[in-house]
Amino acid sequence: MHELAIAQEILERAQAASEKSGGGRVVRIGLRIGEISGVEPDALAFGIEALSQDTPMAGVALEVERPGRRQRCAMCSNEFVPEGLAVACPACGNPQSECIAGKELDVTFIEIEDPPCA
Ligand SMILES: [Zn+2]
């Protein structure tokens, strides 16, 4: 359960952000999970829900972006979306390209409600 460890880390970051803001409740967490990051968004959402139960973060909303895979050609710098596993450049046919997107796993934002007695 790879996602559970990631969920734990995300909740810890949200908790730290909440403490920094003076204890405001975390209402929303933005996540960017690339298509080939190896992380299943549903499993991650489930992990966050399970781990935040009975904590102040229970019921936190998640906003997940799911960027697709993109490659950049090593020869002509053309950027393209590969089809399946074929990563040859459609512009020049060069078979070598590097992955520039789709592997992301980032927390994009943590939205915190104002503390009750600010
Ligand atoms: Zn090329």
Side-chain angles (χ1 to χ4, degrees):
M1 273 305 275
H2 174 58
E3 276 84 359
L4 211 54
I6 299 166
Q8 179 68 44
E9 200 184 309
I10 291 167
L11 286 170
E12 278 168 15
R13 278 173 70 168
Q15 179 64 38
S18 159
E19 279 164 17
K20 220 167 156 184
S21 80
R25 200 172 75 89
V26 179
V27 286
R28 210 143 52 122
I29 301 174
L31 299 171
R32 185 180 290 138
I33 305 171
E35 212 176 72
I36 53 164
S37 63
V39 174
E40 215 24 79
D42 286 349
L44 186 59
F46 177 80
I48 288 175
E49 198 187 313
L51 291 173
S52 63
Q53 234 170 31
D54 304 318
T55 79
M57 261 181 293
V60 64
L62 300 177
E63 209 173 287
V64 179
E65 277 176 68
R66 191 100 167 114
R69 182 174 166 205
R70 286 182 71 78
Q71 298 280 129
R72 185 192 287 129
C73 175
M75 293 286 285
C76 71
S77 298
N78 176 42
E79 289 180 14
F80 59 97
V81 177
E83 282 184 41
L85 293 173
V87 292
C89 173
C92 71
N94 173 40
Q96 284 188 333
S97 59
E98 62 167 329
C99 179
I100 53 166
K103 287 183 184 167
E104 302 91 334
L105 178 59
D106 299 318
V107 175
T108 49
F109 64 84
I110 295 169
E111 193 180 308
I112 291 164
E113 218 170 51
D114 287 333
C117 303

Coordinates of all heavy atoms in Angstrom, one line a residue, residues 25-67:
R25 N -8.7 25.2 10.1 CA -9.1 23.9 9.6 C -8.7 23.7 8.1 O -9.0 24.6 7.3 CB -10.6 23.7 9.8 CG -11.1 22.3 9.8 CD -12.6 22.2 10.1 NE -13.4 22.6 9.0 CZ -13.8 21.8 8.0 NH1 -13.5 20.5 8.1 NH2 -14.6 22.3 7.1
V26 N -8.1 22.6 7.8 CA -7.8 22.3 6.4 C -9.1 21.9 5.7 O -9.7 21.0 6.1 CB -6.7 21.2 6.3 CG1 -6.4 20.9 4.8 CG2 -5.5 21.6 7.0
V27 N -9.5 22.7 4.7 CA -10.7 22.4 4.0 C -10.5 21.7 2.6 O -11.3 21.0 2.1 CB -11.6 23.6 3.8 CG1 -12.3 24.0 5.1 CG2 -10.9 24.8 3.2
R28 N -9.4 22.0 2.0 CA -9.1 21.5 0.7 C -7.7 21.3 0.4 O -6.9 22.1 0.8 CB -9.7 22.4 -0.4 CG -10.2 21.8 -1.6 CD -11.4 22.4 -2.1 NE -11.2 23.9 -2.3 CZ -11.4 24.5 -3.4 NH1 -11.7 23.9 -4.5 NH2 -11.2 25.8 -3.5
I29 N -7.4 20.2 -0.3 CA -6.0 19.9 -0.7 C -5.9 19.7 -2.2 O -6.7 18.9 -2.7 CB -5.4 18.7 0.1 CG1 -5.5 18.9 1.6 CG2 -4.0 18.4 -0.4 CD1 -5.0 17.6 2.4
G30 N -5.1 20.4 -2.9 CA -4.9 20.3 -4.3 C -3.8 19.3 -4.6 O -2.7 19.5 -4.0
L31 N -4.0 18.4 -5.5 CA -3.0 17.4 -5.8 C -2.8 17.3 -7.3 O -3.7 17.4 -8.0 CB -3.4 16.0 -5.3 CG -3.6 15.9 -3.8 CD1 -4.1 14.5 -3.5 CD2 -2.2 16.0 -3.0
R32 N -1.5 17.1 -7.7 CA -1.3 16.9 -9.1 C -0.7 15.5 -9.2 O 0.4 15.2 -8.7 CB -0.3 17.9 -9.6 CG -0.1 17.8 -11.1 CD 0.9 18.9 -11.6 NE 0.2 20.2 -11.6 CZ 0.9 21.3 -11.2 NH1 2.1 21.2 -10.8 NH2 0.3 22.4 -11.2
I33 N -1.4 14.6 -9.8 CA -0.9 13.2 -9.9 C -0.8 12.8 -11.4 O -1.8 12.6 -12.1 CB -1.9 12.2 -9.2 CG1 -2.2 12.7 -7.8 CG2 -1.5 10.8 -9.3 CD1 -3.3 12.0 -7.1
G34 N 0.4 12.7 -11.9 CA 0.7 12.4 -13.3 C 0.1 11.0 -13.6 O 0.1 10.1 -12.8
E35 N -0.3 10.9 -14.9 CA -0.8 9.7 -15.4 C 0.1 8.5 -15.2 O -0.4 7.4 -15.0 CB -1.0 9.9 -16.9 CG -2.1 9.2 -17.6 CD -2.2 9.7 -19.0 OE1 -1.3 9.2 -19.8 OE2 -3.1 10.4 -19.3
I36 N 1.4 8.7 -15.3 CA 2.3 7.6 -15.1 C 3.2 7.7 -13.9 O 4.3 7.2 -13.8 CB 3.3 7.4 -16.4 CG1 4.0 8.7 -16.7 CG2 2.5 6.9 -17.6 CD1 5.2 8.5 -17.6
S37 N 2.6 8.4 -12.9 CA 3.3 8.5 -11.6 C 3.3 7.2 -10.8 O 4.0 7.1 -9.8 CB 2.7 9.6 -10.8 OG 1.3 9.3 -10.4
G38 N 2.4 6.3 -11.2 CA 2.3 5.0 -10.4 C 1.4 5.1 -9.2 O 1.3 4.2 -8.4
V39 N 0.8 6.3 -9.1 CA -0.1 6.5 -7.9 C -1.6 6.5 -8.5 O -1.9 7.2 -9.4 CB 0.2 7.8 -7.2 CG1 -0.8 8.1 -6.1 CG2 1.6 7.7 -6.6
E40 N -2.4 5.7 -7.8 CA -3.8 5.6 -8.2 C -4.6 6.7 -7.4 O -4.6 6.6 -6.2 CB -4.2 4.2 -7.7 CG -5.2 3.5 -8.6 CD -5.3 3.9 -10.0 OE1 -4.4 3.5 -10.8 OE2 -6.2 4.7 -10.3
P41 N -5.1 7.7 -8.1 CA -5.8 8.8 -7.4 C -6.9 8.3 -6.4 O -7.1 8.8 -5.3 CB -6.4 9.6 -8.5 CG -5.6 9.3 -9.7 CD -5.1 7.9 -9.5
D42 N -7.7 7.2 -6.9 CA -8.7 6.7 -6.0 C -8.2 6.1 -4.7 O -8.7 6.3 -3.7 CB -9.6 5.7 -6.8 CG -10.5 6.3 -7.8 OD1 -10.6 7.5 -7.8 OD2 -11.0 5.5 -8.7
A43 N -7.1 5.4 -4.9 CA -6.5 4.7 -3.7 C -5.9 5.8 -2.8 O -6.0 5.6 -1.6 CB -5.4 3.7 -4.2
L44 N -5.4 6.8 -3.4 CA -4.8 7.9 -2.5 C -5.9 8.6 -1.8 O -5.8 8.9 -0.6 CB -4.0 8.9 -3.4 CG -3.3 9.9 -2.7 CD1 -2.3 9.3 -1.7 CD2 -2.6 10.9 -3.6
A45 N -7.0 8.9 -2.5 CA -8.2 9.6 -1.9 C -8.7 8.7 -0.7 O -9.1 9.2 0.3 CB -9.3 9.8 -2.9
F46 N -8.8 7.4 -1.0 CA -9.3 6.5 0.0 C -8.3 6.5 1.3 O -8.8 6.5 2.4 CB -9.4 5.1 -0.5 CG -9.8 4.0 0.5 CD1 -11.1 3.9 0.8 CD2 -8.9 3.2 1.1 CE1 -11.5 3.0 1.7 CE2 -9.2 2.3 2.0 CZ -10.6 2.2 2.4
G47 N -7.0 6.5 1.0 CA -6.0 6.5 2.1 C -6.2 7.8 2.9 O -6.1 7.7 4.1
I48 N -6.4 8.9 2.2 CA -6.5 10.2 3.0 C -7.8 10.2 3.8 O -7.8 10.6 5.0 CB -6.5 11.4 2.0 CG1 -5.1 11.5 1.5 CG2 -7.0 12.6 2.6 CD1 -4.9 12.6 0.4
E49 N -8.8 9.6 3.2 CA -10.1 9.6 4.0 C -10.0 8.7 5.2 O -10.4 9.0 6.3 CB -11.2 9.0 3.0 CG -12.6 9.3 3.5 CD -13.6 8.6 2.7 OE1 -13.5 8.6 1.4 OE2 -14.5 7.9 3.3
A50 N -9.3 7.5 5.0 CA -9.2 6.5 6.1 C -8.3 7.1 7.2 O -8.6 7.0 8.4 CB -8.6 5.2 5.6
L51 N -7.2 7.8 6.8 CA -6.2 8.3 7.8 C -6.7 9.5 8.5 O -6.2 9.8 9.6 CB -4.8 8.5 7.2 CG -4.1 7.3 6.7 CD1 -2.8 7.8 5.9 CD2 -3.6 6.4 7.8
S52 N -7.6 10.3 7.9 CA -8.0 11.5 8.5 C -9.2 11.4 9.4 O -9.7 12.3 10.0 CB -8.2 12.6 7.4 OG -9.3 12.2 6.6
Q53 N -9.8 10.2 9.3 CA -10.9 9.9 10.2 C -10.6 10.2 11.6 O -9.5 9.9 12.1 CB -11.3 8.4 10.0 CG -12.7 8.2 9.6 CD -12.9 6.7 9.3 OE1 -12.3 5.8 9.8 NE2 -13.8 6.5 8.3
D54 N -11.6 10.8 12.3 CA -11.4 11.1 13.7 C -10.3 12.1 14.0 O -9.7 12.1 15.0 CB -11.2 9.9 14.6 CG -12.4 8.9 14.4 OD1 -13.6 9.4 14.4 OD2 -12.2 7.7 14.3
T55 N -9.9 12.8 13.0 CA -8.9 13.9 13.2 C -9.6 15.2 12.7 O -10.6 15.1 12.0 CB -7.6 13.7 12.3 OG1 -7.9 14.1 11.0 CG2 -7.1 12.3 12.4
P56 N -9.0 16.4 13.0 CA -9.6 17.6 12.5 C -9.6 17.7 11.0 O -10.3 18.6 10.5 CB -8.7 18.7 13.1 CG -7.9 18.0 14.2 CD -7.8 16.6 13.8
M57 N -8.9 16.8 10.3 CA -8.9 16.9 8.9 C -9.9 16.0 8.2 O -10.0 15.9 7.0 CB -7.5 16.6 8.4 CG -6.8 17.9 8.1 SD -5.2 17.7 7.4 CE -4.3 17.0 8.8
A58 N -10.7 15.3 9.0 CA -11.8 14.4 8.4 C -12.6 15.2 7.5 O -13.0 16.4 7.7 CB -12.6 13.8 9.5
G59 N -12.9 14.6 6.3 CA -13.8 15.2 5.4 C -13.2 16.3 4.5 O -13.8 17.0 3.7
V60 N -11.8 16.4 4.5 CA -11.1 17.3 3.7 C -11.4 17.0 2.2 O -11.5 15.8 1.8 CB -9.6 17.3 4.0 CG1 -9.0 16.0 3.7 CG2 -8.9 18.4 3.3
A61 N -11.6 18.1 1.4 CA -11.9 17.9 0.0 C -10.6 17.8 -0.8 O -9.6 18.5 -0.4 CB -12.7 19.0 -0.5
L62 N -10.6 17.0 -1.8 CA -9.4 16.9 -2.6 C -9.7 17.4 -4.0 O -10.7 17.1 -4.6 CB -8.9 15.4 -2.7 CG -8.6 14.7 -1.4 CD1 -8.3 13.2 -1.7 CD2 -7.4 15.4 -0.7
E63 N -8.7 18.1 -4.6 CA -8.9 18.5 -6.0 C -7.7 18.0 -6.7 O -6.6 18.4 -6.5 CB -8.9 20.1 -6.0 CG -9.7 20.6 -7.1 CD -9.8 22.1 -7.0 OE1 -10.6 22.6 -6.1 OE2 -9.1 22.8 -7.8
V64 N -8.0 17.0 -7.6 CA -6.9 16.3 -8.2 C -6.8 16.6 -9.7 O -7.7 16.6 -10.5 CB -7.1 14.7 -8.1 CG1 -6.0 14.0 -8.8 CG2 -7.2 14.3 -6.7
E65 N -5.6 17.0 -10.1 CA -5.3 17.3 -11.5 C -4.5 16.0 -11.9 O -3.8 15.4 -11.2 CB -4.2 18.4 -11.6 CG -4.8 19.8 -11.6 CD -3.6 20.7 -11.7 OE1 -2.9 20.8 -12.7 OE2 -3.3 21.4 -10.6
R66 N -4.8 15.7 -13.2 CA -4.2 14.4 -13.7 C -3.5 14.7 -15.0 O -4.0 14.4 -16.1 CB -5.3 13.4 -13.9 CG -4.9 12.0 -14.2 CD -5.0 11.2 -12.9 NE -4.9 9.8 -13.3 CZ -3.9 9.0 -12.9 NH1 -2.9 9.5 -12.2 NH2 -3.8 7.8 -13.2
P67 N -2.3 15.3 -14.9 CA -1.6 15.6 -16.2 C -1.2 14.4 -17.0 O -0.8 13.4 -16.4 CB -0.3 16.4 -15.7 CG -0.2 16.3 -14.3 CD -1.5 15.7 -13.7

